[in-house]
Amino acid sequence: SGLSCANMTVFLMFWLAMNASAGFMLRVAWERGRIMGWGEYYLPIILFNVIMWLYMINLTRKVRESLRNKYQIPEENVEGLEDCLCAAFCTACAICQMGRHTADFDTYRATCCTKTGLPRQVELAPVNFYEDQYQNMNDDAEAQQGHAV
């Protein structure tokens, strides 16, 4: 939605401003011949960027998990950790995969700050999700594996 897009824009601008101001502070200190120590300069910036990175991983994991549940896509490789591992080590790939899965970007041009990422006039087909159906699908797969042994 427009509000979430605005929130993300503010979030990214804050991150860029923090790093730009940190770079400016380092340049000024360097020009004045003052070398800043770890605790004084580097540690807060490193901690800030690590926190931002962890937030982005968590956000990507949650969205990927909700899409898997909505479209009833079971985990294939590392059950229980697949979303977290994909978000941590393949963030860009996971985001691209989610985008490809949720819309046909060959037919419609992607649009920023819309609810679906597509032009406002494009309506998506409704997706029916039944939580118990997803659970039954997992139970059936486990039963088939048990009979195969």
Side-chain angles (χ1 to χ4, degrees):
S1 70
L3 181 60
S4 64
C5 186
N7 289 341
M8 188 54 120
T9 302
V10 168
F11 182 73
L12 287 173
M13 289 297 120
F14 175 71
W15 179 78
L16 285 172
M18 289 297 291
N19 280 287
S21 65
F24 180 74
M25 287 174 35
L26 182 61
R27 181 173 176 225
V28 168
W30 184 269
E31 288 175 355
R32 292 182 180 171
R34 183 169 178 245
I35 305 298
M36 295 179 150
W38 273 97
E40 189 178 353
Y41 177 77
Y42 296 105
L43 189 61
I45 295 303
I46 290 171
L47 285 175
F48 174 75
N49 280 295
V50 166
I51 289 169
M52 293 292 286
W53 180 68
L54 291 173
Y55 175 77
M56 289 304 295
I57 287 173
N58 189 41
L59 185 64
T60 304
R61 178 194 60 82
K62 285 182 176 183
V63 171
R64 190 173 193 276
E65 186 176 296
S66 70
L67 284 175
R68 266 191 329 90
N69 288 335
K70 182 176 183 176
Y71 293 103
Q72 302 175 5
I73 304 169
E75 291 181 310
E76 293 180 5
N77 298 317
V78 185
E79 200 165 320
L81 290 175
E82 187 171 321
D83 295 322
C84 186
L85 292 173
C86 286
F89 298 108
C90 307
T91 308
C93 296
I95 291 171
C96 289
Q97 180 187 36
M98 291 184 293
R100 282 191 313 270
H101 186 81
T102 56
D104 182 9
F105 292 106
D106 292 330
T107 305
Y108 301 105
R109 188 171 159 252
T111 306
C112 184
C113 299
T114 62
K115 187 175 182 179
T116 61
L118 296 170
R120 296 188 194 284
Q121 70 271 15
V122 177
E123 291 186 29
L124 298 178
V127 175
N128 294 327
F129 173 69
Y130 304 101
E131 192 169 327
D132 58 336
Q133 184 180 4
Y134 181 67
Q135 184 61 40
N136 291 340
M137 190 171 68
N138 284 338
D139 292 342
D140 293 342
E142 289 172 4
Q144 288 176 355
Q145 287 177 354
H147 293 299
V149 175

